[in-house]
Every structure is written in C-alpha cells, then in structure tokens.
Amino acid sequence: MSTAVRTVALGEQLATLLRERIVRGDVPAGTHLVEDVLAGEHGISRGPVRDALRTLLAEGLLESRRRGYFTKSFGQADVDELYEIRKAAEHLACELAISRGGAAEWDGPRGVLVEMARHAETGNRRGYAQADLEFHTRFYEISGNSRLLSLWHRYMPTFATLLDITNAQDADLHPSFEDHTLLLKLAEDGDWQTFRGVLEEHLAGSHGRLSAAISAPGA
C-alpha cells in the first residue's frame, strides 16, 4: 500500500473519531484542535491530522480561526439543517433515479437490502447503519447526477454518526427494514408519487427519533 493511501486512510479514521465526539457532545464547543497534539495522541504524522480537520471543516463541524481549528456546537438546529438538506437532495436524487433507472439498476439496492435484513435479524446496529446509508447512496448513483452524489458524500459521514445514535434507541430494526423494502418496490414499479410520500415519512421519522435521542438526558 502506498504512503498516500495510508495517509488518506489515517485521515479518514481520525475524522470519524473526532466527528463522533463532536456530534455526541464529548468535545465542548470552542475546543482548539491542535495538529501537533492530535498527531502525538494518535501516533500519526501531521498530514493525516490536517486532512481530518479539513474534512470536518467542510462538514461544518469546525471553524477556522487565525490560531487554527476550533470545534463548533452541535445541537437541534444542526440536525434540522442537515435533514432539510437531505430531504431536498434525496427527493431530487430519487425522482431522477426512478425516471432513469432500468431493471438492472435496482439490483444494487436489492443486494444491499439482503445485508440490511441480516443485520436487522442479528441486531447489528452499526452494520445496519452502514448498509442503510449504502442503500440510499445507490439511489444517488442511479440518478446519474454527479453533483448530487458529491453533495451526499460530503454529508454522509455525519449522517452515519447520527444513524448510530438513532439506531441505539431502536429496540427493533425490522420496521426500518420494512420501510426500505417498500421504497425499493415502489422505485421498481416507477411509482414516484407514492414513493415520495413514503420517503417523506421515512425521513421525518428518522429526524424525529434523532431529535428525541439527542435531547434525552445523558445523550
């Protein structure tokens, strides 16, 4: 493996760790994230640390000041903004996917559903969350709009963390799996109007459960 690939992987790993801490409120707002300190704590060079900080800055979780990068607060307003973005982007992506997708394109989401079913059955919440995001990613890919896909990739890591929080509150993952199964059936049938209503309910439910989770004591 090349040094460049290892550096990217380390940067992504650190970004994931810091993202989870910021979103969960484990790192107070206004905390100064110092490259040298982070590099020493995690036993890596400054290159991947810098990559991680730039990633989180682009996601809106950090702010840049003259002295470096500082954490921003993350609360209900941020959750609301993220779901507003997701609702608008996903509606367009799915509408395009349904209008453009042929029978072969739905093999991808169908395969992901198999993974989701397995994780729901075993109660693997982390695995289910990853498969959940992959399911939605397939619709962005089928849409054929590269900029929509880039927008989704920009915020998907944050949604991965949010899904972990939401799924931790769900005793049973099967209702979520049933929602996704219905969405795929409607997409295969080309029924955009019904699909849109189901998608709105699905995203609203996810938004509501997350809002309840982050406002709960000890969240």
Short mmCIF file of all heavy atoms in Angstrom, two decimals, residues 116-182:
data_model
loop_
_atom_site.label_atom_id
_atom_site.label_comp_id
_atom_site.label_asym_id
_atom_site.label_seq_id
_atom_site.Cartn_x
_atom_site.Cartn_y
_atom_site.Cartn_z
N MET A 116 -29.07 -5.58 4.90
CA MET A 116 -29.87 -4.94 5.93
C MET A 116 -30.72 -5.96 6.69
O MET A 116 -30.85 -5.88 7.92
CB MET A 116 -30.76 -3.85 5.31
CG MET A 116 -29.98 -2.69 4.72
SD MET A 116 -31.03 -1.47 3.89
CE MET A 116 -31.82 -0.71 5.31
N ALA A 117 -31.28 -6.91 5.96
CA ALA A 117 -32.09 -7.95 6.59
C ALA A 117 -31.25 -8.77 7.57
O ALA A 117 -31.69 -9.08 8.68
CB ALA A 117 -32.71 -8.86 5.53
N ARG A 118 -30.04 -9.09 7.16
CA ARG A 118 -29.16 -9.89 8.01
C ARG A 118 -28.80 -9.13 9.28
O ARG A 118 -28.83 -9.68 10.39
CB ARG A 118 -27.89 -10.26 7.23
CG ARG A 118 -26.89 -11.08 8.03
CD ARG A 118 -25.82 -11.65 7.10
NE ARG A 118 -25.09 -10.60 6.41
CZ ARG A 118 -24.03 -9.97 6.93
NH1 ARG A 118 -23.61 -10.28 8.15
NH2 ARG A 118 -23.41 -9.04 6.24
N HIS A 119 -28.47 -7.84 9.13
CA HIS A 119 -28.10 -7.05 10.31
C HIS A 119 -29.30 -6.80 11.22
O HIS A 119 -29.16 -6.77 12.45
CB HIS A 119 -27.50 -5.72 9.86
CG HIS A 119 -26.19 -5.85 9.17
ND1 HIS A 119 -25.15 -6.61 9.68
CD2 HIS A 119 -25.73 -5.32 7.99
CE1 HIS A 119 -24.11 -6.55 8.86
NE2 HIS A 119 -24.44 -5.78 7.84
N ALA A 120 -30.49 -6.62 10.62
CA ALA A 120 -31.69 -6.43 11.44
C ALA A 120 -31.99 -7.68 12.26
O ALA A 120 -32.39 -7.60 13.42
CB ALA A 120 -32.88 -6.08 10.55
N GLU A 121 -31.77 -8.83 11.64
CA GLU A 121 -32.06 -10.10 12.31
C GLU A 121 -31.11 -10.35 13.47
O GLU A 121 -31.51 -10.87 14.52
CB GLU A 121 -31.96 -11.25 11.30
CG GLU A 121 -32.57 -12.56 11.78
CD GLU A 121 -34.07 -12.46 12.02
OE1 GLU A 121 -34.74 -11.68 11.32
OE2 GLU A 121 -34.56 -13.16 12.93
N THR A 122 -29.84 -9.97 13.30
CA THR A 122 -28.84 -10.21 14.34
C THR A 122 -28.72 -9.04 15.32
O THR A 122 -28.01 -9.14 16.32
CB THR A 122 -27.46 -10.47 13.71
OG1 THR A 122 -27.06 -9.32 12.94
CG2 THR A 122 -27.50 -11.70 12.82
N GLY A 123 -29.40 -7.92 15.01
CA GLY A 123 -29.32 -6.76 15.89
C GLY A 123 -28.01 -6.01 15.79
O GLY A 123 -27.63 -5.29 16.72
N ASN A 124 -27.33 -6.15 14.65
CA ASN A 124 -26.06 -5.45 14.43
C ASN A 124 -26.37 -4.02 13.99
O ASN A 124 -26.50 -3.74 12.80
CB ASN A 124 -25.24 -6.19 13.37
CG ASN A 124 -23.89 -5.54 13.13
OD1 ASN A 124 -23.61 -4.44 13.60
ND2 ASN A 124 -23.06 -6.22 12.35
N ARG A 125 -26.45 -3.10 14.93
CA ARG A 125 -26.87 -1.74 14.62
C ARG A 125 -25.85 -0.98 13.79
O ARG A 125 -26.20 -0.22 12.90
CB ARG A 125 -27.18 -0.99 15.92
CG ARG A 125 -28.45 -1.47 16.59
CD ARG A 125 -28.68 -0.84 17.95
NE ARG A 125 -30.00 -1.17 18.46
CZ ARG A 125 -30.32 -2.33 19.00
NH1 ARG A 125 -29.40 -3.28 19.11
NH2 ARG A 125 -31.55 -2.57 19.44
N ARG A 126 -24.57 -1.16 14.08
CA ARG A 126 -23.54 -0.47 13.30
C ARG A 126 -23.53 -0.97 11.86
O ARG A 126 -23.47 -0.18 10.92
CB ARG A 126 -22.17 -0.67 13.96
CG ARG A 126 -20.98 -0.06 13.20
CD ARG A 126 -21.10 1.43 13.07
NE ARG A 126 -21.08 2.13 14.33
CZ ARG A 126 -19.97 2.56 14.94
NH1 ARG A 126 -18.79 2.33 14.41
NH2 ARG A 126 -20.06 3.24 16.07
N GLY A 127 -23.62 -2.28 11.69
CA GLY A 127 -23.66 -2.84 10.34
C GLY A 127 -24.91 -2.41 9.60
O GLY A 127 -24.87 -2.13 8.39
N TYR A 128 -26.03 -2.33 10.33
CA TYR A 128 -27.28 -1.92 9.70
C TYR A 128 -27.20 -0.47 9.24
O TYR A 128 -27.64 -0.12 8.14
CB TYR A 128 -28.45 -2.08 10.68
CG TYR A 128 -29.79 -1.79 10.04
CD1 TYR A 128 -30.50 -2.80 9.40
CD2 TYR A 128 -30.34 -0.51 10.06
CE1 TYR A 128 -31.72 -2.54 8.78
CE2 TYR A 128 -31.54 -0.23 9.45
CZ TYR A 128 -32.23 -1.25 8.82
OH TYR A 128 -33.43 -0.99 8.19
N ALA A 129 -26.61 0.39 10.07
CA ALA A 129 -26.49 1.81 9.71
C ALA A 129 -25.65 1.98 8.45
O ALA A 129 -25.99 2.77 7.57
CB ALA A 129 -25.87 2.59 10.87
N GLN A 130 -24.57 1.23 8.35
CA GLN A 130 -23.72 1.31 7.16
C GLN A 130 -24.47 0.85 5.92
O GLN A 130 -24.37 1.48 4.85
CB GLN A 130 -22.46 0.48 7.38
CG GLN A 130 -21.54 1.04 8.46
CD GLN A 130 -20.37 0.12 8.78
OE1 GLN A 130 -20.37 -1.06 8.41
NE2 GLN A 130 -19.38 0.65 9.47
N ALA A 131 -25.22 -0.25 6.05
CA ALA A 131 -25.99 -0.75 4.91
C ALA A 131 -27.12 0.21 4.55
O ALA A 131 -27.44 0.40 3.37
CB ALA A 131 -26.54 -2.13 5.23
N ASP A 132 -27.73 0.82 5.56
CA ASP A 132 -28.79 1.81 5.35
C ASP A 132 -28.28 2.94 4.46
O ASP A 132 -28.91 3.32 3.46
CB ASP A 132 -29.24 2.33 6.71
CG ASP A 132 -30.41 3.30 6.64
OD1 ASP A 132 -30.57 3.97 5.61
OD2 ASP A 132 -31.14 3.42 7.64
N LEU A 133 -27.13 3.49 4.81
CA LEU A 133 -26.56 4.58 4.03
C LEU A 133 -26.18 4.13 2.63
O LEU A 133 -26.33 4.88 1.66
CB LEU A 133 -25.34 5.15 4.75
CG LEU A 133 -25.64 5.89 6.05
CD1 LEU A 133 -24.34 6.23 6.78
CD2 LEU A 133 -26.44 7.16 5.79
N GLU A 134 -25.70 2.90 2.51
CA GLU A 134 -25.34 2.37 1.20
C GLU A 134 -26.58 2.24 0.32
O GLU A 134 -26.54 2.51 -0.88
CB GLU A 134 -24.66 1.01 1.35
CG GLU A 134 -24.25 0.37 0.04
CD GLU A 134 -23.23 1.18 -0.73
OE1 GLU A 134 -22.48 1.96 -0.11
OE2 GLU A 134 -23.20 1.06 -1.97
N PHE A 135 -27.70 1.85 0.92
CA PHE A 135 -28.97 1.74 0.18
C PHE A 135 -29.33 3.09 -0.44
O PHE A 135 -29.64 3.18 -1.63
CB PHE A 135 -30.07 1.28 1.14
CG PHE A 135 -31.44 1.18 0.51
CD1 PHE A 135 -31.85 0.01 -0.11
CD2 PHE A 135 -32.32 2.25 0.55
CE1 PHE A 135 -33.12 -0.09 -0.68
CE2 PHE A 135 -33.58 2.17 -0.01
CZ PHE A 135 -33.98 0.99 -0.64
N HIS A 136 -29.27 4.14 0.37
CA HIS A 136 -29.62 5.47 -0.14
C HIS A 136 -28.58 5.97 -1.15
O HIS A 136 -28.94 6.66 -2.11
CB HIS A 136 -29.77 6.44 1.03
CG HIS A 136 -30.98 6.17 1.87
ND1 HIS A 136 -32.23 6.67 1.57
CD2 HIS A 136 -31.13 5.42 3.00
CE1 HIS A 136 -33.10 6.26 2.48
NE2 HIS A 136 -32.46 5.50 3.35
N THR A 137 -27.32 5.61 -0.92
CA THR A 137 -26.28 6.01 -1.87
C THR A 137 -26.56 5.47 -3.26
O THR A 137 -26.31 6.15 -4.26
CB THR A 137 -24.90 5.51 -1.38
OG1 THR A 137 -24.60 6.11 -0.12
CG2 THR A 137 -23.80 5.89 -2.38
N ARG A 138 -27.08 4.26 -3.33
CA ARG A 138 -27.36 3.65 -4.64
C ARG A 138 -28.35 4.49 -5.44
O ARG A 138 -28.25 4.58 -6.66
CB ARG A 138 -27.87 2.23 -4.47
CG ARG A 138 -26.86 1.26 -3.87
CD ARG A 138 -25.57 1.23 -4.67
NE ARG A 138 -24.58 0.35 -4.09
CZ ARG A 138 -24.39 -0.92 -4.45
NH1 ARG A 138 -25.14 -1.45 -5.39
NH2 ARG A 138 -23.46 -1.64 -3.86
N PHE A 139 -29.31 5.13 -4.77
CA PHE A 139 -30.27 5.97 -5.49
C PHE A 139 -29.57 7.21 -6.07
O PHE A 139 -29.87 7.64 -7.18
CB PHE A 139 -31.42 6.38 -4.56
CG PHE A 139 -32.46 5.31 -4.40
CD1 PHE A 139 -32.27 4.28 -3.50
CD2 PHE A 139 -33.62 5.33 -5.16
CE1 PHE A 139 -33.22 3.28 -3.35
CE2 PHE A 139 -34.58 4.34 -5.02
CZ PHE A 139 -34.38 3.30 -4.11
N TYR A 140 -28.65 7.78 -5.29
CA TYR A 140 -27.89 8.92 -5.81
C TYR A 140 -27.07 8.50 -7.02
O TYR A 140 -26.96 9.25 -8.00
CB TYR A 140 -26.96 9.47 -4.73
CG TYR A 140 -27.66 10.31 -3.68
CD1 TYR A 140 -28.18 9.72 -2.53
CD2 TYR A 140 -27.78 11.69 -3.83
CE1 TYR A 140 -28.81 10.48 -1.56
CE2 TYR A 140 -28.42 12.45 -2.86
CZ TYR A 140 -28.94 11.85 -1.73
OH TYR A 140 -29.57 12.61 -0.78
N GLU A 141 -26.50 7.31 -6.97
CA GLU A 141 -25.70 6.82 -8.10
C GLU A 141 -26.58 6.59 -9.33
O GLU A 141 -26.21 6.97 -10.45
CB GLU A 141 -25.00 5.52 -7.71
CG GLU A 141 -23.93 5.72 -6.64
CD GLU A 141 -23.37 4.41 -6.11
OE1 GLU A 141 -24.00 3.35 -6.35
OE2 GLU A 141 -22.32 4.44 -5.46
N ILE A 142 -27.74 5.99 -9.12
CA ILE A 142 -28.64 5.71 -10.24
C ILE A 142 -29.19 6.99 -10.85
O ILE A 142 -29.51 7.05 -12.04
CB ILE A 142 -29.79 4.78 -9.78
CG1 ILE A 142 -29.23 3.42 -9.35
CG2 ILE A 142 -30.82 4.58 -10.89
CD1 ILE A 142 -30.25 2.52 -8.66
N SER A 143 -29.26 8.06 -10.04
CA SER A 143 -29.79 9.33 -10.54
C SER A 143 -28.98 9.86 -11.72
O SER A 143 -29.49 10.60 -12.56
CB SER A 143 -29.81 10.38 -9.43
OG SER A 143 -28.52 10.92 -9.19
N GLY A 144 -27.70 9.51 -11.76
CA GLY A 144 -26.84 9.97 -12.84
C GLY A 144 -26.35 11.40 -12.68
O GLY A 144 -25.70 11.94 -13.57
N ASN A 145 -26.65 12.02 -11.52
CA ASN A 145 -26.24 13.40 -11.28
C ASN A 145 -25.02 13.38 -10.36
O ASN A 145 -25.14 13.14 -9.15
CB ASN A 145 -27.39 14.18 -10.64
CG ASN A 145 -27.11 15.67 -10.55
OD1 ASN A 145 -26.07 16.08 -10.06
ND2 ASN A 145 -28.06 16.48 -11.02
N SER A 146 -23.85 13.64 -10.92
CA SER A 146 -22.61 13.52 -10.16
C SER A 146 -22.51 14.56 -9.04
O SER A 146 -21.91 14.29 -7.99
CB SER A 146 -21.41 13.65 -11.09
OG SER A 146 -21.39 14.91 -11.74
N ARG A 147 -23.10 15.73 -9.24
CA ARG A 147 -23.02 16.76 -8.21
C ARG A 147 -23.91 16.43 -7.01
O ARG A 147 -23.57 16.72 -5.86
CB ARG A 147 -23.35 18.13 -8.80
CG ARG A 147 -22.23 18.67 -9.68
CD ARG A 147 -22.56 19.98 -10.35
NE ARG A 147 -21.39 20.54 -11.03
CZ ARG A 147 -20.94 20.14 -12.21
NH1 ARG A 147 -21.58 19.17 -12.86
NH2 ARG A 147 -19.87 20.68 -12.75
N LEU A 148 -25.06 15.84 -7.28
CA LEU A 148 -25.90 15.38 -6.18
C LEU A 148 -25.18 14.30 -5.38
O LEU A 148 -25.21 14.28 -4.15
CB LEU A 148 -27.22 14.81 -6.72
CG LEU A 148 -28.42 15.73 -6.83
CD1 LEU A 148 -29.60 14.97 -7.44
CD2 LEU A 148 -28.80 16.32 -5.48
N LEU A 149 -24.52 13.40 -6.09
CA LEU A 149 -23.77 12.33 -5.43
C LEU A 149 -22.64 12.91 -4.59
O LEU A 149 -22.40 12.46 -3.46
CB LEU A 149 -23.22 11.36 -6.47
CG LEU A 149 -22.41 10.17 -5.93
CD1 LEU A 149 -23.27 9.31 -5.00
CD2 LEU A 149 -21.88 9.33 -7.09
N SER A 150 -21.95 13.93 -5.09
CA SER A 150 -20.87 14.57 -4.34
C SER A 150 -21.41 15.25 -3.08
O SER A 150 -20.78 15.20 -2.02
CB SER A 150 -20.15 15.60 -5.21
OG SER A 150 -19.48 14.98 -6.29
N LEU A 151 -22.58 15.88 -3.20
CA LEU A 151 -23.19 16.52 -2.03
C LEU A 151 -23.51 15.48 -0.97
O LEU A 151 -23.25 15.69 0.23
CB LEU A 151 -24.47 17.25 -2.46
CG LEU A 151 -25.27 17.92 -1.34
CD1 LEU A 151 -24.46 19.06 -0.71
CD2 LEU A 151 -26.61 18.45 -1.87
N TRP A 152 -24.06 14.35 -1.39
CA TRP A 152 -24.39 13.28 -0.45
C TRP A 152 -23.13 12.74 0.22
O TRP A 152 -23.10 12.53 1.44
CB TRP A 152 -25.14 12.17 -1.18
CG TRP A 152 -25.35 10.92 -0.38
CD1 TRP A 152 -24.92 9.67 -0.70
CD2 TRP A 152 -26.07 10.78 0.85
NE1 TRP A 152 -25.31 8.76 0.25
CE2 TRP A 152 -26.02 9.41 1.22
CE3 TRP A 152 -26.74 11.67 1.68
CZ2 TRP A 152 -26.62 8.93 2.37
CZ3 TRP A 152 -27.34 11.19 2.84
CH2 TRP A 152 -27.28 9.83 3.17
N HIS A 153 -22.08 12.53 -0.55
CA HIS A 153 -20.83 12.02 0.01
C HIS A 153 -20.24 13.00 1.03
O HIS A 153 -19.58 12.57 1.99
CB HIS A 153 -19.81 11.75 -1.10
CG HIS A 153 -20.04 10.46 -1.80
ND1 HIS A 153 -19.64 10.21 -3.10
CD2 HIS A 153 -20.65 9.31 -1.40
CE1 HIS A 153 -19.97 8.99 -3.45
NE2 HIS A 153 -20.59 8.43 -2.44
N ARG A 154 -20.48 14.27 0.83
CA ARG A 154 -19.94 15.27 1.75
C ARG A 154 -20.55 15.13 3.14
O ARG A 154 -19.86 15.26 4.15
CB ARG A 154 -20.20 16.67 1.20
CG ARG A 154 -19.77 17.80 2.14
CD ARG A 154 -20.00 19.15 1.50
NE ARG A 154 -19.67 20.24 2.40
CZ ARG A 154 -19.75 21.52 2.07
NH1 ARG A 154 -20.13 21.86 0.85
NH2 ARG A 154 -19.45 22.46 2.95
N TYR A 155 -21.85 14.88 3.19
CA TYR A 155 -22.54 14.84 4.48
C TYR A 155 -22.82 13.42 4.98
O TYR A 155 -23.24 13.25 6.13
CB TYR A 155 -23.86 15.62 4.40
CG TYR A 155 -23.65 17.10 4.28
CD1 TYR A 155 -23.85 17.76 3.07
CD2 TYR A 155 -23.22 17.86 5.37
CE1 TYR A 155 -23.64 19.13 2.95
CE2 TYR A 155 -23.01 19.22 5.26
CZ TYR A 155 -23.22 19.85 4.05
OH TYR A 155 -23.01 21.20 3.94
N MET A 156 -22.59 12.42 4.16
CA MET A 156 -22.89 11.05 4.56
C MET A 156 -22.16 10.62 5.84
O MET A 156 -22.76 9.95 6.69
CB MET A 156 -22.59 10.08 3.42
CG MET A 156 -23.03 8.65 3.72
SD MET A 156 -22.88 7.56 2.28
CE MET A 156 -21.10 7.51 2.09
N PRO A 157 -20.88 10.98 6.03
CA PRO A 157 -20.23 10.57 7.28
C PRO A 157 -20.92 11.12 8.52
O PRO A 157 -21.01 10.44 9.55
CB PRO A 157 -18.81 11.15 7.13
CG PRO A 157 -18.59 11.23 5.66
CD PRO A 157 -19.92 11.63 5.10
N THR A 158 -21.43 12.36 8.44
CA THR A 158 -22.16 12.91 9.57
C THR A 158 -23.45 12.14 9.80
O THR A 158 -23.81 11.83 10.95
CB THR A 158 -22.48 14.40 9.35
OG1 THR A 158 -21.27 15.11 9.08
CG2 THR A 158 -23.16 15.00 10.57
N PHE A 159 -24.14 11.79 8.71
CA PHE A 159 -25.36 11.00 8.86
C PHE A 159 -25.06 9.61 9.41
O PHE A 159 -25.90 9.02 10.10
CB PHE A 159 -26.11 10.91 7.53
CG PHE A 159 -26.97 12.10 7.25
CD1 PHE A 159 -26.61 13.03 6.29
CD2 PHE A 159 -28.14 12.32 7.96
CE1 PHE A 159 -27.40 14.15 6.04
CE2 PHE A 159 -28.94 13.43 7.72
CZ PHE A 159 -28.56 14.35 6.76
N ALA A 160 -23.88 9.08 9.12
CA ALA A 160 -23.50 7.78 9.68
C ALA A 160 -23.45 7.86 11.20
O ALA A 160 -23.94 6.97 11.91
CB ALA A 160 -22.15 7.34 9.12
N THR A 161 -22.86 8.93 11.71
CA THR A 161 -22.80 9.12 13.16
C THR A 161 -24.19 9.32 13.74
O THR A 161 -24.53 8.76 14.79
CB THR A 161 -21.92 10.34 13.50
OG1 THR A 161 -20.60 10.12 13.00
CG2 THR A 161 -21.85 10.57 15.00
N LEU A 162 -25.02 10.10 13.05
CA LEU A 162 -26.38 10.34 13.52
C LEU A 162 -27.20 9.05 13.53
O LEU A 162 -28.00 8.81 14.44
CB LEU A 162 -27.07 11.39 12.64
CG LEU A 162 -26.42 12.78 12.61
CD1 LEU A 162 -27.20 13.70 11.68
CD2 LEU A 162 -26.37 13.37 14.02
N LEU A 163 -26.99 8.21 12.51
CA LEU A 163 -27.72 6.94 12.47
C LEU A 163 -27.31 6.02 13.62
O LEU A 163 -28.14 5.30 14.17
CB LEU A 163 -27.46 6.23 11.14
CG LEU A 163 -28.47 6.46 10.02
CD1 LEU A 163 -28.05 5.70 8.77
CD2 LEU A 163 -29.87 6.03 10.43
N ASP A 164 -26.04 6.05 13.98
CA ASP A 164 -25.60 5.25 15.12
C ASP A 164 -26.34 5.66 16.39
O ASP A 164 -26.74 4.83 17.20
CB ASP A 164 -24.09 5.42 15.34
CG ASP A 164 -23.27 4.61 14.35
OD1 ASP A 164 -23.82 3.67 13.76
OD2 ASP A 164 -22.08 4.93 14.17
N ILE A 165 -26.53 6.98 16.54
CA ILE A 165 -27.25 7.48 17.71
C ILE A 165 -28.71 7.05 17.66
O ILE A 165 -29.28 6.58 18.66
CB ILE A 165 -27.14 9.02 17.79
CG1 ILE A 165 -25.68 9.44 18.00
CG2 ILE A 165 -28.03 9.57 18.90
CD1 ILE A 165 -25.46 10.94 17.92
N THR A 166 -29.33 7.19 16.49
CA THR A 166 -30.74 6.84 16.34
C THR A 166 -30.97 5.35 16.53
O THR A 166 -31.88 4.93 17.26
CB THR A 166 -31.25 7.25 14.94
OG1 THR A 166 -31.03 8.65 14.76
CG2 THR A 166 -32.73 6.95 14.80
N ASN A 167 -30.15 4.53 15.87
CA ASN A 167 -30.34 3.08 15.95
C ASN A 167 -30.13 2.54 17.35
O ASN A 167 -30.69 1.50 17.72
CB ASN A 167 -29.41 2.37 14.97
CG ASN A 167 -29.84 2.56 13.52
OD1 ASN A 167 -30.96 2.96 13.24
ND2 ASN A 167 -28.94 2.28 12.59
N ALA A 168 -29.31 3.24 18.13
CA ALA A 168 -29.09 2.80 19.51
C ALA A 168 -30.37 2.89 20.33
O ALA A 168 -30.52 2.21 21.35
CB ALA A 168 -27.99 3.64 20.15
N GLN A 169 -31.31 3.74 19.88
CA GLN A 169 -32.58 3.90 20.59
C GLN A 169 -33.64 2.91 20.11
O GLN A 169 -34.69 2.78 20.74
CB GLN A 169 -33.11 5.33 20.38
CG GLN A 169 -32.10 6.44 20.65
CD GLN A 169 -31.63 6.46 22.08
OE1 GLN A 169 -32.44 6.35 23.00
NE2 GLN A 169 -30.33 6.60 22.28
N ASP A 170 -33.37 2.25 18.99
CA ASP A 170 -34.37 1.35 18.39
C ASP A 170 -34.17 -0.07 18.89
O ASP A 170 -33.14 -0.70 18.63
CB ASP A 170 -34.26 1.37 16.86
CG ASP A 170 -34.64 2.73 16.27
OD1 ASP A 170 -35.36 3.48 16.96
OD2 ASP A 170 -34.22 3.02 15.14
N ALA A 171 -35.17 -0.59 19.58
CA ALA A 171 -35.09 -1.96 20.07
C ALA A 171 -35.19 -2.96 18.92
O ALA A 171 -34.65 -4.06 18.99
CB ALA A 171 -36.18 -2.22 21.10
N ASP A 172 -35.89 -2.57 17.86
CA ASP A 172 -36.13 -3.47 16.73
C ASP A 172 -35.83 -2.72 15.43
O ASP A 172 -36.42 -1.67 15.17
CB ASP A 172 -37.58 -3.94 16.76
CG ASP A 172 -37.89 -4.98 15.69
OD1 ASP A 172 -36.96 -5.39 14.97
OD2 ASP A 172 -39.07 -5.37 15.58
N LEU A 173 -34.94 -3.27 14.62
CA LEU A 173 -34.58 -2.64 13.35
C LEU A 173 -35.49 -3.06 12.20
O LEU A 173 -35.40 -2.50 11.11
CB LEU A 173 -33.13 -2.99 13.00
CG LEU A 173 -32.06 -2.46 13.96
CD1 LEU A 173 -30.69 -3.05 13.60
CD2 LEU A 173 -32.00 -0.94 13.92
N HIS A 174 -36.37 -4.01 12.44
CA HIS A 174 -37.21 -4.53 11.36
C HIS A 174 -38.16 -3.48 10.76
O HIS A 174 -38.37 -3.48 9.54
CB HIS A 174 -37.99 -5.75 11.84
CG HIS A 174 -37.13 -6.97 12.01
ND1 HIS A 174 -36.49 -7.27 13.19
CD2 HIS A 174 -36.77 -7.96 11.13
CE1 HIS A 174 -35.79 -8.39 13.05
NE2 HIS A 174 -35.95 -8.83 11.82
N PRO A 175 -38.77 -2.59 11.56
CA PRO A 175 -39.63 -1.56 10.93
C PRO A 175 -38.88 -0.71 9.92
O PRO A 175 -39.41 -0.37 8.86
CB PRO A 175 -40.12 -0.74 12.13
CG PRO A 175 -40.10 -1.70 13.27
CD PRO A 175 -38.87 -2.55 13.03
N SER A 176 -37.64 -0.36 10.24
CA SER A 176 -36.82 0.41 9.30
C SER A 176 -36.55 -0.40 8.04
O SER A 176 -36.63 0.12 6.92
CB SER A 176 -35.50 0.81 9.95
OG SER A 176 -34.62 1.39 9.00
N PHE A 177 -36.26 -1.68 8.22
CA PHE A 177 -36.01 -2.55 7.07
C PHE A 177 -37.26 -2.63 6.17
O PHE A 177 -37.16 -2.59 4.94
CB PHE A 177 -35.62 -3.95 7.54
CG PHE A 177 -35.56 -4.96 6.43
CD1 PHE A 177 -34.53 -4.93 5.50
CD2 PHE A 177 -36.56 -5.92 6.30
CE1 PHE A 177 -34.49 -5.86 4.46
CE2 PHE A 177 -36.52 -6.85 5.27
CZ PHE A 177 -35.48 -6.81 4.35
N GLU A 178 -38.42 -2.71 6.79
CA GLU A 178 -39.67 -2.77 6.01
C GLU A 178 -39.89 -1.49 5.21
O GLU A 178 -40.38 -1.53 4.08
CB GLU A 178 -40.84 -3.04 6.96
CG GLU A 178 -40.81 -4.44 7.57
CD GLU A 178 -41.80 -4.61 8.71
OE1 GLU A 178 -42.54 -3.63 8.99
OE2 GLU A 178 -41.84 -5.70 9.31
N ASP A 179 -39.52 -0.34 5.80
CA ASP A 179 -39.61 0.93 5.07
C ASP A 179 -38.76 0.88 3.80
O ASP A 179 -39.19 1.30 2.72
CB ASP A 179 -39.13 2.09 5.94
CG ASP A 179 -40.16 2.51 6.98
OD1 ASP A 179 -41.31 2.03 6.91
OD2 ASP A 179 -39.80 3.32 7.85
N HIS A 180 -37.53 0.40 3.94
CA HIS A 180 -36.62 0.36 2.80
C HIS A 180 -37.09 -0.64 1.74
O HIS A 180 -36.94 -0.41 0.54
CB HIS A 180 -35.20 0.02 3.26
CG HIS A 180 -34.54 1.13 4.02
ND1 HIS A 180 -34.77 1.35 5.36
CD2 HIS A 180 -33.67 2.09 3.62
CE1 HIS A 180 -34.07 2.39 5.75
NE2 HIS A 180 -33.39 2.86 4.73
N THR A 181 -37.67 -1.74 2.20
CA THR A 181 -38.20 -2.73 1.27
C THR A 181 -39.33 -2.12 0.43
O THR A 181 -39.40 -2.32 -0.79
CB THR A 181 -38.73 -3.96 2.03
OG1 THR A 181 -37.65 -4.54 2.78
CG2 THR A 181 -39.28 -5.00 1.07
N LEU A 182 -40.20 -1.36 1.09
CA LEU A 182 -41.30 -0.70 0.38
C LEU A 182 -40.77 0.35 -0.60
O LEU A 182 -41.26 0.45 -1.73
CB LEU A 182 -42.25 -0.06 1.38
CG LEU A 182 -43.42 0.74 0.80
CD1 LEU A 182 -44.27 -0.13 -0.13
CD2 LEU A 182 -44.28 1.33 1.92
#
